[in-house]
């Protein structure tokens, strides 16, 4: 089991180094990094995960399953759209008003 422990330690060290490199080289692009984190973490956390858990655990009628599925689809579309906007506007400080409207 020592090899597994060392593999875990190596993985953790590599993750810390990667995050440190992102912090050092991405400090001037913090708004873009926060936007990407939001698109990958917060949109699923608010739309996809609760709906999928409700669908799996509680939903027992066809109408409730449909509503959960619609919320999951909206979450996936929102995640893809926000990620796209984050990538397109990378390196600019102007908000993409024409794209959002």
């Amino acid at each position: 089991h020592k090899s597994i422990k060392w593999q875990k330690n190596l993985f953790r060290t590599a993750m810390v180094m990667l995050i440190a490199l992102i912090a050092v080289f991405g400090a001037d692009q913090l708004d873009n990094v926060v936007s990407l984190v939001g698109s990958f973490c917060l949109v699923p956390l608010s739309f996809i995960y609760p709906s999928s858990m409700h669908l799996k655990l509680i939903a027992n009628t066809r109408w409730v399953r449909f509503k959960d599925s619609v919320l999951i689809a909206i979450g996936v579309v929102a995640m893809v759209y926000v990620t796209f906007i984050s990538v397109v506007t990378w390196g600019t400080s102007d908000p993409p008003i024409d794209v959002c409207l």
Side-chain angles (χ1 to χ4, degrees):
H1 297 159
K2 284 186 178 185
S3 66
I4 293 174
K5 186 180 264 191
W6 279 106
Q7 288 173 353
K8 287 181 184 179
N9 289 338
L10 183 63
F11 177 74
R12 290 176 186 148
T13 303
M15 287 302 293
V16 168
M17 299 287 275
L18 177 66
I19 291 170
L21 286 173
I22 290 172
V24 168
F25 293 112
D28 55 341
Q29 298 292 327
L30 183 62
D31 55 339
N32 293 324
V33 173
V34 169
S35 178
L36 280 176
V37 168
S39 67
F40 283 118
C41 297
L42 298 178
V43 172
L45 186 64
S46 61
F47 288 105
I48 298 172
Y49 300 148
S51 299
S52 62
M53 287 181 206
H54 186 267
L55 180 67
K56 249 337 193 183
L57 299 174
I58 299 173
N60 52 9
T61 65
R62 180 177 258 173
W63 177 243
V64 173
R65 285 190 210 117
F66 174 75
K67 290 191 292 186
D68 285 337
S69 299
V70 168
L71 280 174
I72 291 170
I74 289 171
V76 169
V77 168
M79 184 178 68
V80 169
Y81 180 71
V82 172
T83 303
F84 172 75
I85 294 297
S86 298
V87 171
V88 166
T89 61
W90 192 276
T92 65
S93 60
D94 298 330
I97 299 298
D98 58 336
V99 178
C100 294
L101 298 176

